Amino acid sequence: MLKEFYTVTTVVNGQSYKRVIEPRMSLCDFLRDELDLTGTHVGCEHGVCGACTILVDGLPVRSCLMLAPHADGADIQTIEGLANEDGELNVLQWAFREKHALQCGFCTPGFLTTITAFLAENPNPDREEVREALSGNTCRCTGYQHIIDAVLLAAETMRADK
Amino acid sequence: MGKKTNRYFGTRQRRNEDPALLTGRGLFVADVHLSNMRHAAFVRSPFASAKINGIDTSAAKKLPGIVAIITAEDLGELGRPTPLVVPPPPIEGLEFNQQTQVPLASKRVRYVGEPVAMVIAETRYLAEDATDVIEVDFEELPTAIDLEKSLHDDAFIVHEDMSSNVAARARQFKGDYAKAAKAAHTVIKRRFTYEHGMAHPMETRGIVAQWDDRVNRLFVWAATQGPSLLRGALAGMMGMNEGDIRVIAPFVGGGFGVKVLYYYPEEMLIPWVAKRLGCAVKWIEDRGEHFVATVQERGQIHDAEIALDKNGMILGVKDTFLHDNGAYNPYGLTVPLNSQCSVLGNYVIPNYDSTMTCVYTNKPIVGPFRGAGRQHGIFVIERLMDIAARELGLDRNEIRRRNYIPHDAFPFNNELIFQDFTVLTYDTGNYEPALDRMLEVIDYKKFIEDEQPNLKAEGRHVGIGIVSYMEGTGIGPYEGAKIQVQSTGRVRVVTGIGTQGQSHFTSFAQIVADHMGVTPEEVDIITGDTDQFYWGAGTFASRGAVVAGNAINEAAEAVAKIALEKGAEHLGCAINDVALEDGHVVTIKDTTKRVPLGELALLANPMRGAVKPGTEPGLEATRFFGPERGTTANGVHGVIVEVDPETMFVNILKYFIVHDCGVIINPMVVDGQIHGGVAQGIGNAFYEKIEFSESGQIQNATLADYLLPTSMEVPDMDVEHIETPSATNRLGIKGVGEAGAIPVAAAFAQAVEDALDLPAKGIELLDIPLSPDALWILTQS
Ligand code: FES
Ligand code: FES
């Protein structure tokens, strides 16, 4: 039987949280309203735009499509956890700024998380691979060209740093 | 006194706003959490046309967590029809039948999604639970959906107090078209239909309001392009003083026109109910609501003709068009007026005769969306030019070149009333160099003579499209700015406009940095808070950089002068011997003799002694700028496409833009604006269409069905800049916000026709959006 409330324990950006919630609460609402991590944005709530993408155990997940109780025990990373430890922009964030890969910035958290996972898999992508990797995220402002430029710059910089 | 040099103005500068946005710290309206905050959800009409016989909220009231359920009968004064946002223009003989919405419908609904009741609950989840069990007794009525049929004698009348669905009718003309047509060598007549879809900013609309009893003030956070306009609207609707309302537009996740003031029901109701309940209330639109509750652009049908002499010179253009205006017309005639004016394009058209009829239909309200009717007009004239070239055996570029307004003919008076109610006058322009540059970068000659024939021989279907456009930008009435030097030495700029991704935090800082001798990083731009700056209109009509930019320029100039005066006094020398540099006032001869700006700011605000009579404390100035009229940007788009004749899928191989938006503040930002505009134009030309059923339901109301372009559909673009300074403002800037989106469909149609050799088969592409199925049907018939 469906319980009225669930206890969810997760680690988000390295910090553990425990909350008692209704089973129907979506993971994006959980992060935003329960944990006050409002950097994860909600664009469609039906799994298409990718704005709400977060990393769950390292894999990109649309947090609008996942119920919060399913995140019990998960290790989550959100936009708030991407910067370097000293708070400076990480390489990908830096590259987004360098290449003007954001305008209104609303879609940006979803792009950054999606690309973080992508570059971990494919540190040396070509332009077409990047294009494909972004195709599940919608940006209404930039026309994507500068985002692709930024991903390539980030990949190149990360490779050089290694 | 040191002369200002452009160190940052005109250069590529990284954005000041990025660090917050890249780390999840940017505050958007949905991120506003307040104590004692309630949540709203709306019951909306599921019918496009219906009578309301009753609303039963009794079951909903018993649900847990319900705070209030509001229907029309609770609204009192707020329940009246809202005023018009934009009044009708002063066009002679204009017929205008005003119909605006009430915040909650009580007797009739006229489009799917019209709000009927509002639930306030402890959480959004609980509020939505209640909307499910509110019973509205609707009695379905016939509908008026099809644009043309809605004018027929037997059409259903959307507004029962009217005798037809004509919302407005306006004729504007210059010269005598009939006479010109009689003398013409060739007259070409066609019917064009143009559907423009929805803006879909990635952030939907949203508003949070809080009533604070202790100070008797209303605090509002809204995803709006016009915070001061919203404050004025709320004051008017609620009978409050403007000064008792503070509207804050935080970071706004894209606007594209649909977040300007429309007297949206939710924007009126949330502040009102917050005041009534004495608490904070939040409403964030969901994407499903956005499809019906936010304004959209839609269809026009143009019956247009062009008269030419044998050399291809335009003698005149005539256009009669219908504009689908949806169920109400709060934004007046802005969109169709833009269409009417844009048909004139970049050309000398001595005789023009245009009549528009705006039609009420049972569909969501139409309002400006990037381009705001201009692309409809540009599509008509550019397609007419293509057909004329063909019929007269002229090259498509040659016919345009011959008819361009010559460089020395500016300012060029088009004798029509534009959306800002001034006479449409192009301030400056230089069209031929833009076309020449395009032919060079796209290598037109080589493509036509070599590449295309070779590819065709290989059985590939590749075509080119090159079109011109102009865009009226930077309209009044005014914007203002206050600039203050802080005791830290940082320069603080406040202005009344909102910002939705236009990089204002950076471009405006660049303007100020050069005047003040600081870096753009040392300039803080504050926008969209009516307590910080009282006056303003908003960010729309490609006007932010032009109008606010110039106000900021004037204010910066004034503050720089004050700083130099105070600095000279402090350093004991004449004002001509000092300059602003490196955050200091320095003596020109010896720049180590210097005083920091922050120290001067402190000195300018003394705690003892007196501020001299006739002067004011602080390093501070406020200035306003109101252009007499708008300024006209222009450009040329060129595209090469390949069409797969099996699937009719169109693949864009190359996209070039040569663009002239006057003097550029930050080329990186301009490129971004153009990329984004073109991407929306591509969606408009080929992917996006709102599918209405006969009963007025949107049949593709999810982002899985209504297709926004992704990275797979938007090609890389090459943007070239030409800078012809504007004559309407000292900085020489023209607006750029909408430019990218305007000519794309026209370029697309030309290129696809070319790729498939359609004219030879007697087929012309006269309807937008194209789509693989539309192309398939056309080519099979
Ligand atoms: S909000 Fe989750 S995919 Fe759009
Ligand atoms: S930057 Fe605005 S949606 Fe991507």
Side-chain angles (χ1 to χ4, degrees), chain B residues 571-573 578 584-588 590-595:
Chain B
L571 295 168
C573 54
V578 291
H584 292 72
V585 173
V586 301
T587 63
I588 294 169
D590 172 8
T591 58
T592 60
K593 265 188 81 186
R594 49 171 52 197
V595 52

Side-chain angles (χ1 to χ4, degrees), chain A residues 101-108 111 138-142 147, chain B residues 202 253-254:
Chain A
L102 63 157
Q103 290 182 24
C104 78
F106 193 81
C107 68
T108 311
F111 274 91
T138 312
C139 172
R140 199 58 163 160
C141 297
T142 62
I147 301 182
Chain B
M202 292 323 296

Side-chain angles (χ1 to χ4, degrees), chain B residues 199 247 263 271 283 327-328 351 432 479 495 508 545 658 673 750 758:
Chain B
V247 176
Y263 289 91
W283 171 74
Y328 303 93
N351 301 286
E432 279 206 72
E479 290 297 338
T495 172
F508 292 160
V658 179
Q673 286 289 316
Q750 193 194 97
L758 294 181

Side-chain angles (χ1 to χ4, degrees), chain B residues 330-610:
Chain B
Y331 223 72
L333 296 186
T334 304
V335 174
L337 207 52
N338 273 339
S339 307
Q340 186 164 60
C341 289
S342 298
V343 168
L344 293 166
N346 302 47
Y347 310 110
V348 177
I349 298 179
N351 301 286
Y352 181 53
D353 195 334
S354 169
T355 303
M356 60 164 147
T357 303
C358 305
V359 183
Y360 285 120
T361 57
N362 288 113
K363 290 187 251 178
I365 300 168
V366 164
F369 157 37
R370 203 175 202 165
R374 297 179 184 89
Q375 51 274 71
H376 301 72
I378 291 294
F379 184 73
V380 168
I381 188 67
E382 288 300 294
R383 293 271 61 205
L384 285 172
M385 294 303 269
D386 289 337
I387 298 165
R390 231 163 20 232
E391 299 216 347
L392 294 167
L394 285 169
D395 176 76
R396 61 189 116 188
N397 303 309
E398 179 55 28
I399 192 167
R400 289 176 165 86
R401 189 188 296 279
R402 284 185 195 177
N403 285 287
Y404 275 160
I405 299 166
H407 183 42
D408 55 11
F410 294 90
F412 189 81
N413 182 346
N414 265 313
E415 299 171 38
L416 260 53
I417 303 284
F418 188 46
Q419 63 147 317
D420 61 352
F421 295 5
T422 64
V423 176
L424 178 68
T425 306
Y426 298 178
D427 58 333
T428 57
N430 197 1
Y431 299 163
E432 279 206 72
L435 178 61
D436 289 338
R437 186 82 191 113
M438 174 57 71
L439 299 183
E440 200 178 308
V441 291
I442 207 165
D443 217 342
Y444 182 67
K445 215 163 144 4
K446 180 154 162 243
F447 179 81
I448 291 290
E449 289 173 5
D450 275 7
E451 286 173 19
Q452 193 177 33
N454 288 341
L455 289 166
K456 286 212 164 151
E458 286 171 29
R460 290 175 63 183
H461 297 78
V462 179
I464 192 167
I466 299 179
V467 298
S468 304
Y469 67 98
M470 46 59 63
E471 186 206 353
T473 72
I475 59 170
Y478 75 91
E479 290 297 338
K482 178 165 84 181
I483 302 187
Q484 254 174 357
V485 179
Q486 306 287 298
S487 60
T488 56
R490 293 188 68 82
V491 182
R492 181 182 170 86
V493 181
V494 294
T495 172
I497 63 168
T499 184
Q500 317 98 44
Q502 289 89 345
S503 315
H504 291 146
F505 301 91
T506 311
S507 336
F508 292 160
Q510 288 176 251
I511 297 175
V512 174
D514 283 335
H515 282 291
M516 297 300 301
V518 297
T519 64
E521 282 89 15
E522 292 167 311
V523 181
D524 297 311
I525 307 288
I526 288 95
T527 70
D529 179 343
T530 60
D531 266 15
Q532 300 262 9
F533 198 81
Y534 190 86
W535 302 102
T539 301
F540 51 84
S542 304
R543 67 190 290 282
V546 181
V547 189
N550 274 282
I552 287 169
N553 183 53
E554 313 262 313
E557 208 170 64
V559 177
K561 184 157 172 274
I562 298 170
L564 289 168
E565 278 164 10
K566 304 247 188 236
E569 197 183 310
H570 184 77
L571 295 168
C573 54
I575 189 164
N576 286 330
D577 298 332
V578 291
L580 281 155
E581 196 181 293
D582 200 13
H584 292 72
V585 173
V586 301
T587 63
I588 294 169
K589 278 212 192 93
D590 172 8
T591 58
T592 60
K593 265 188 81 186
R594 49 171 52 197
V595 52
L597 278 175
E599 199 178 319
L600 283 178
L602 276 174
L603 289 171
N605 183 24
M607 281 300 105
R608 291 289 182 276

Side-chain angles (χ1 to χ4, degrees), chain B residues 220-394:
Chain B
V220 177
W221 290 258
T224 178
Q225 295 174 232
S228 330
L229 296 178
L230 179 57
R231 176 193 54 195
L234 287 172
M237 289 296 285
M238 292 170 65
M240 288 180 65
N241 298 319
E242 286 87 347
D244 292 336
I245 304 173
R246 177 180 186 181
V247 176
I248 298 167
F251 276 117
V252 176
F256 315 120
V258 303
K259 290 179 184 167
V260 303
L261 177 71
Y262 291 98
Y263 289 91
Y264 279 120
E266 306 88 354
E267 276 179 354
M268 301 296 113
L269 288 163
I270 300 296
W272 173 85
V273 81
K275 181 164 187 252
R276 177 172 157 132
L277 299 174
C279 66
V281 179
K282 178 178 194 170
W283 171 74
I284 304 297
E285 185 182 53
D286 68 34
R287 191 57 65 179
E289 288 183 291
H290 186 82
F291 270 95
V292 289
T294 289
V295 298
Q296 31 188 259
E297 264 198 33
R298 273 197 313 271
Q300 292 181 357
I301 302 173
H302 289 252
D303 286 301
E305 55 182 273
I306 188 168
L308 306 113
D309 74 8
K310 62 178 189 313
N311 299 319
M313 301 303 291
I314 303 172
L315 301 176
V317 171
K318 182 175 174 189
D319 184 23
T320 307
F321 72 95
L322 303 180
H323 168 77
D324 183 348
N325 146 145
Y328 303 93
N329 62 353
Y331 223 72
L333 296 186
T334 304
V335 174
L337 207 52
N338 273 339
S339 307
Q340 186 164 60
C341 289
S342 298
V343 168
L344 293 166
N346 302 47
Y347 310 110
V348 177
I349 298 179
N351 301 286
Y352 181 53
D353 195 334
S354 169
T355 303
M356 60 164 147
T357 303
C358 305
V359 183
Y360 285 120
T361 57
N362 288 113
K363 290 187 251 178
I365 300 168
V366 164
F369 157 37
R370 203 175 202 165
R374 297 179 184 89
Q375 51 274 71
H376 301 72
I378 291 294
F379 184 73
V380 168
I381 188 67
E382 288 300 294
R383 293 271 61 205
L384 285 172
M385 294 303 269
D386 289 337
I387 298 165
R390 231 163 20 232
E391 299 216 347
L392 294 167
L394 285 169

